[in-house]
Amino acid sequence: MSSSSTLTRPASTTAGVRDAVTPRRRTRIFALPEARWAAAALALFLLALPLQLLGAPVWAWGPLYALTYATGGWEPGWEGLKALKDKTLDVDLLMVVAAAGAAAIGQALDGALLIVIFATSGALEAVATARTADSVRGLLDLAPATATRLADDGSGEETVATEQLAVGDTILVRPGERVGADGRVLDGASEVDQATITGEPLPVVKERGDEVFAGTLNGTGALRVKVERDPSDSVIARIVAMVEEASETKAPTQLFIEKVEQRYSIGMVAATLALFALPLLFGAALQPTLLRAMTFMIVASPCAVVLATMPPLLSAIANAGRHGVLVKSAVAMEQLGRIDAVALDKTGTLTEGTPRVTDIRSLADGPDENALLTVAAAAEHPSEHPLARAVVDAARTRNLDIPLVEDFTSAPGTGVTATVDGRRIAVGSPARLLNGHDGSAAADAVAQLEREGRTAVLVEIDGTPAGVLGIADRLREDAARTVTALTSLTGRTPVLVTGDNPRAAARLAEEVKITDVRAGLLPQDKVTAVQELETAGRKVLVVGDGVNDAPALAAAHTGIAMGRAGSDLAMETADAVVVRDELATIPTVVGLSRRARRLVVQNLVIASVCITGLAVWDLAGTLPLPLGVAGHEGSTVIVGLNGLRLLRDAAWFRARTGDGR
């Protein structure tokens, strides 16, 4: 199970992980009919608007507005009619009716604008849904399409499709291949990168009796694995199922105004019909009665209410985007402000996700730190192991010259050996190299580093322990500050949910002052942890970056993915993505969302007062149509401008500093 080389390096066994989660097919935006109709409506509106404003004759811009109504309004109108058949008054149908009413009394611009807003909103929702579905399908590419199955009598091997594997089959996993099925190692030793399943930052040594998962990436050793789960029941398959189930069953949080849309819609339609029909029954003239009813529909139409809700949320989205946080929708922005509990992943979220040398400890009579690191880096240089790269990077950071080596060998689970300047250097697992020499200075140094949550690497020179290196995944600089800010926002300390080992998780939690630590979790365990919090009445924000975090991101009230190293599935499943990997932006965007929610409430009060006043005037007296339109448009402009306040950088700064003004 070892290999020798002085000139070549094994192909990287980790670079393929991100490629593996990239979907083979990605839905194009304009492949979706909702996007095509919305784009057509917007283009027609943008052609008609300048013609009308420049005083062109009606025949020039009127047909364009008519086409805007048709392209953008037919689909929500049809869906609204189908909902009406089921005795449900859909707000989309109300928008189409209000737009048609506006056009009927000469306010074609207002109606067209309303149609464009709703068509665009529907298109964005369709695109987000399609992209998530693409990523879920792409996750299936993690599991290889074929596997090498060994005959029971040992007479040979055959390549079969992984879906043909059955419980009890034995498969051969060669170096650099992905494991074809969940199972247990029968023979061999290797280091397997299972970050996609558990989130652990370092490959895990797998030997006889150890469990392996489909889709994880084998290192430099060969493994014989007995299949213990049907491919349809593998951990990867269950991740797909959990994401799909959570996406389908998780009730979407509606915007505040949508919670009263049914009653408002029914009341508005009933009042308009009554205002038109009742006077006619008592002999009123048709034209003034229709004019009054249409005036009422205009002043009572929810244009101002729609703008009361959307500008603050859209402005917050734009501001967050400028500062490196992509929030996918107005609904997601509104949800962020309601969270009262946070669950944080460890590797790649609170940490950088890359192991680094943290300690260099020379033993008595051994070389100094730089000399120890130099020979260790030289021996590790031909290796592709993440620990080896950490050692080499540490030497380069110190500007040390790394000499060439001879007779390089690598043994999975043990380490590497090489000849450096005539000396035999061994770098690897203390448990293997020390051979049980408890009580020695080297063993004491190893024990101390491991108690501190480090991975200890022993360096031997000509068979004698010379020093110990401590390696760990480095905490992000803003991790502790972010945890403190989230604690202040929610009133409770975040929960750490990680697939990493309990010792490493406990060490990190102590550094950032997290007291609730749940370690060694598989993806389904993270979902369970989130569901426990939500059962207790909490609205949970989950922050993660990997495939293993995707089910929890989907199941949570709100999910945020770290963008720089995050998997495609995590980024598509999450409601928001931290594009620049700045962890401290998370509490800031939560604070910005809360400010947006407060502005929404302010705008709804303004819009309600204006709508009520104009409607009462029209019902109790005679509201001139121009005055009704002016009042309606004036309230729309006021709430729109109020919402746009969140576009300013000052709004982001205030959210970051906790200034709620």
Side-chain angles (χ1 to χ4, degrees):
M1 297 297 173
S2 63
S3 59
S4 296
S5 173
T6 57
L7 299 176
T8 62
R9 301 180 66 181
S12 172
T13 59
T14 57
V17 172
R18 183 173 173 81
D19 294 337
V21 300
T22 301
R24 292 175 180 174
R25 293 175 298 176
R26 191 174 181 88
T27 300
R28 295 181 179 275
I29 291 178
F30 289 107
L32 300 170
E34 296 91 343
R36 294 198 298 270
W37 289 118
L42 177 60
L44 290 165
F45 178 78
L46 293 177
L47 286 174
L49 180 61
L51 292 175
Q52 182 187 13
L53 295 179
L54 292 173
V58 174
W59 60 262
W61 49 264
L64 294 174
Y65 276 140
L67 289 173
T68 300
Y69 281 71
T71 54
W74 81 266
E75 191 169 31
W78 178 247
E79 292 299 322
L81 289 174
K82 289 195 293 185
L84 194 61
K85 184 179 178 182
D86 296 328
K87 299 180 180 180
T88 300
L89 187 58
D90 194 288
V91 74
D92 288 352
L93 180 60
L94 181 62
M95 293 301 100
V96 174
V97 171
I105 60 172
Q107 301 301 316
L109 172 59
D110 290 353
L113 178 59
L114 199 57
I115 289 290
V116 169
I117 289 174
F118 270 76
T120 303
S121 175
L124 292 175
E125 182 178 353
V127 169
T129 301
R131 288 289 170 82
T132 300
D134 286 342
S135 292
V136 172
R137 287 193 298 269
L139 177 59
L140 294 173
D141 293 340
L142 271 176
T146 61
T148 302
R149 183 166 62 189
L150 302 177
D152 292 337
D153 58 5
S155 59
E157 62 184 50
E158 61 176 334
T159 300
V160 299
T162 50
E163 58 263 25
Q164 296 178 6
L165 294 175
V167 175
D169 284 350
T170 301
I171 60 175
L172 175 65
V173 186
R174 293 186 171 90
E177 291 183 345
R178 282 180 283 149
V179 179
D182 288 3
R184 201 163 297 276
V185 177
L186 295 176
D187 185 39
S190 187
E191 291 167 324
V192 177
D193 184 344
Q194 53 187 33
T196 53
I197 301 297
T198 65
E200 293 174 283
L202 300 175
V204 179
V205 176
K206 297 293 183 180
E207 298 175 314
R208 181 182 177 87
D210 291 334
E211 186 178 20
V212 292
F213 303 107
T216 55
L217 208 57
N218 187 26
T220 56
L223 299 172
R224 281 199 309 121
V225 176
K226 181 179 180 180
V227 178
E228 291 190 337
R229 291 193 191 96
D230 186 271
S232 63
D233 193 41
S234 68
V235 172
I236 282 291
R238 279 184 282 169
I239 290 176
V240 173
M242 283 187 292
V243 171
E244 289 179 334
E245 181 181 359
S247 298
E248 291 173 0
T249 61
K250 175 181 162 184
T253 300
Q254 296 177 310
L255 296 176
F256 179 80
I257 186 56
E258 291 179 352
K259 295 178 181 179
V260 296
E261 72 177 39
Q262 282 293 307
R263 294 179 181 178
Y264 183 86
S265 302
I266 293 171
M268 176 183 164
V269 170
T272 301
L273 292 175
L275 198 59
F276 176 65
L278 290 178
L280 291 179
L281 291 177
F282 289 96
L286 175 62
Q287 185 172 352
T289 302
L290 178 61
L291 182 60
R292 172 174 287 198
M294 287 298 96
T295 301
F296 176 81
M297 176 170 276
I298 289 296
V299 299
S301 69
C303 296
V305 175
V306 171
L307 287 178
T309 303
M310 296 305 290
L313 297 174
L314 294 178
S315 297
I317 289 173
N319 202 336
R322 290 203 310 270
H323 292 88
V325 183
L326 172 62
V327 182
K328 296 182 179 180
S329 68
V331 172
M333 177 57 79
E334 193 261 352
Q335 288 178 179
L336 275 168
R338 303 175 64 201
I339 63 106
D340 57 8
V342 181
L344 298 170
D345 174 48
K346 172 183 171 288
T347 305
T349 301
L350 287 175
T351 68
E352 296 176 350
T354 304
R356 299 182 184 276
V357 174
T358 58
D359 301 85
I360 304 174
R361 301 190 180 181
S362 296
L363 301 178
D365 301 324
D368 62 23
E369 287 187 2
N370 284 347
L372 180 69
L373 185 58
T374 297
V375 296
E380 292 278 26
H381 190 270
S383 173
E384 62 16 306
H385 194 284
L387 289 180
R389 291 197 294 273
V391 174
V392 173
D393 288 345
R396 287 173 174 164
T397 300
R398 294 191 177 203
N399 296 319
L400 302 178
D401 292 327
I402 302 176
L404 297 175
V405 302
E406 298 176 344
D407 303 324
F408 171 81
T409 62
S410 173
T414 299
V416 301
T417 57
T419 300
V420 181
D421 294 335
R423 296 178 295 175
R424 194 64 177 163
I425 308 298
V427 183
S429 167
R432 302 295 179 86
L433 296 179
L434 283 175
N435 254 341
H437 283 73
D438 297 333
S440 66
D444 291 343
V446 168
Q448 183 179 354
L449 286 173
E450 291 181 343
R451 282 195 300 270
E452 295 172 358
R454 311 282 198 264
T455 297
V457 176
L458 183 69
V459 182
E460 284 187 348
I461 299 178
D462 292 329
T464 302
V468 182
L469 306 179
I471 299 178
D473 188 5
R474 190 161 64 185
L475 190 69
R476 292 181 186 270
E477 291 182 359
D478 52 359
R481 185 169 68 254
T482 299
V483 170
T484 300
L486 290 172
T487 301
S488 176
L489 280 169
T490 63
R492 57 182 289 144
T493 306
V495 179
L496 182 63
V497 289
T498 177
D500 211 348
N501 66 80
R503 185 174 56 202
R507 177 189 61 82
L508 179 136
E510 185 178 356
E511 289 187 51
V512 297
K513 294 182 173 56
I514 289 179
T515 54
D516 190 348
V517 181
R518 308 183 191 190
L521 304 183
L522 289 176
Q524 60 266 32
D525 301 322
K526 291 188 176 184
V527 172
T528 300
V530 171
Q531 290 173 340
E532 287 176 359
L533 290 170
E534 294 192 333
T535 301
R538 299 289 177 180
K539 292 180 173 59
V540 184
L541 166 65
V542 171
V543 185
D545 71 309
V547 168
N548 60 311
D549 299 315
L553 289 168
H557 176 76
T558 311
I560 296 180
M562 303 301 293
R564 183 174 298 171
S567 73
D568 285 342
L569 181 63
M571 289 189 283
E572 295 293 353
T573 304
D575 300 292
V577 179
V578 181
V579 179
R580 300 173 189 165
D581 253 21
E582 297 173 2
L583 194 63
T585 58
I586 293 175
T588 305
V589 78
V590 172
L592 188 65
S593 171
R594 293 185 175 183
R595 295 196 72 229
R597 281 170 53 82
R598 288 195 292 271
L599 281 185
V600 167
V601 173
Q602 290 178 15
N603 282 349
L604 287 174
V605 171
I606 294 170
S608 299
V609 169
C610 291
I611 289 174
T612 302
L614 292 171
V616 169
W617 188 347
D618 188 56
L619 291 172
T622 301
L623 175 64
L625 178 59
L627 187 57
V629 171
H632 176 266
E633 296 304 318
S635 65
T636 301
V637 170
I638 290 172
V639 298
L641 292 176
N642 192 41
L644 295 179
R645 289 164 50 197
L646 292 185
L647 280 173
R648 298 177 299 172
D649 285 336
W652 181 265
F653 175 77
R654 288 173 179 169
R656 186 177 64 195
T657 58
D659 184 350
R661 291 177 293 173

